[in-house]
Amino acid sequence: MPASERPVVTRIAPSPTGSMHIGTARTALFNWLYARHSGGTFLLRIEDTDRERSTEANVQVILDGLAWLGLEPDAPPVFQFARAERHRAVVARLLETGGAYRCWMTVEELAAEREIARAEGRAIRSPWRDRDPPAGVNLPHVVRFKGPLDGETLVHDLVKGTVRFGNRELDDLVLLRSDGAPTYNLAVVVDDHDMGITHVIRGDDHLNNAARQTLIYQALGWSLPEFAHLPLIHGPDGAKLSKRHGAQAVGEFADMGYLPEAMRNYLARLGWGHGDDELFSDAQAIAWFDVRDVVKAPARLDWNKIAHVNNHYVRAADDARLTSLTLEAMARRGETIAEDARDRLMSAVPLVKEGAKTVLELLDLSRFALVHRPIAIDAKSEALLTEEVRARLGRLAKHLWSQEDWTPAALTVALRAFAESEGVGLGKFGGPLRATLSGGLPAPDLASALTALGRDESLGRIADALSPRK
Ligand code: GLU
């Protein structure tokens, strides 16, 4: 049955090479969205055939990355290397049906053929295509695919449209290396077929492979999956994404304090979109997403947009969750936190999150609440505390002492009433009060800062600042 008529099965097929690239995250997201949109299945295949880089730790990076992104597959992962016997069996079948041949070309012969092929503007061919095996058969050899010499291979891509490849330019690729190891293109075809993948959605750096893979499917008499090749993600300057553009690994985004739901929302718009909608829920994305609507042009990473989207989700996030994320960020930096500071953090988070673009910013904005008495007061803040101001703050402290309702609204009223009783504007003591409460660290408006600190801590900090210098 053609893939388009079967229930949708998508997959993400990362190689466990160390970190999980943001492009892989976007590919995973699109596969996940398309599967969810179609009521289908989203699978994971770990392409661990590179035995040196494929460590358990690197596999864990992928599992953790997907779990963090909230894109967990619907079945346990398939490990490609473990399927090598099956890959070899398929190659044996191709050898029997004439779809593949053994090739005894030496390194030197291959180099010479490469030169000739380049000069003639064609892909390399092996003389063993149409030759009988040499005598003394057990010489080391590879198995090559026996591709057509002329004509065209068409890839009907759901994003790129129909892409034509001249078969002259597609070489007889190696299916099995001389040590019997299956190669990438062969393994991908066999695994996608066996896993029942209907839609191969991946980065467009694999478009050329789609032509080679199409030929292998045809040689095996298997029905083709639908292909959809996604435009790459570029940096803000339009150049290919690289280290100098900043973070690239999913783990780095997590560590900087981006929220997974914000990443899903932001990444969904890299190459796809729903009109001008910038902010949307998973449910909306799932309802709207169709891989056919992905655009061809490369998408650009835009740090301002990520920050904007993330700020939206930080504001919407549950305070207890944000508090524990902030504590995790501190733990990662090796910072410990005492019980009382933890309580103040919990009170500060809802009052400062409005301005936080990331969890790390949430930490910066909460820092004033975390420091311990007596807090350090920077020189600029200290300079505000003149004799006159100190006297006034002393009266303010008394005023606040009798303040029962310790909430932003009530404290705003109390501060105003105090200003009135002093016959001055809030400006006359607002700055200095802030100095005593935060010592010059960023802090929210006064009523919020007082609320976050609580009565005892606030009055204690004011008293510390007013007490005679040591
Ligand atoms: N393992 C390949 C990669 O990480 C993906 C192959 C595919 O999606 O077909 O680029």
Side-chain angles (χ1 to χ4, degrees), residues 224-247:
L224 283 164
E226 302 272 349
F227 287 109
H229 287 91
L230 310 174
L232 292 186
I233 302 175
H234 283 181
D237 55 0
K240 203 167 172 247
L241 197 60
S242 72
K243 285 238 167 6
R244 77 192 156 83
H245 292 118

Side-chain angles (χ1 to χ4, degrees), residues 11-15 24 27 45 47 80 184 188 192 200-203 205-206 213:
R11 59 29 168 211
I12 175 84
S15 309
T24 306
T27 302
R45 181 171 69 240
E47 304 215 314
Q80 187 160 64
Y184 162 73
V188 166
D192 282 340
V200 170
I201 304 171
R202 62 187 171 192
D205 46 337
H206 286 291
Q213 292 168 10

Side-chain angles (χ1 to χ4, degrees), residues 72-85:
E72 272 162 294
D74 296 321
V78 169
F79 289 86
Q80 187 160 64
F81 182 70
R83 294 177 37 80
E85 275 314 316

Side-chain angles (χ1 to χ4, degrees), residues 122-141:
R122 60 166 175 81
I124 57 160
R125 304 288 164 196
S126 160
W128 295 101
R129 246 184 99 97
D130 313 296
R131 233 191 244 171
D132 289 334
V137 222
N138 259 346
L139 293 171
H141 62 275

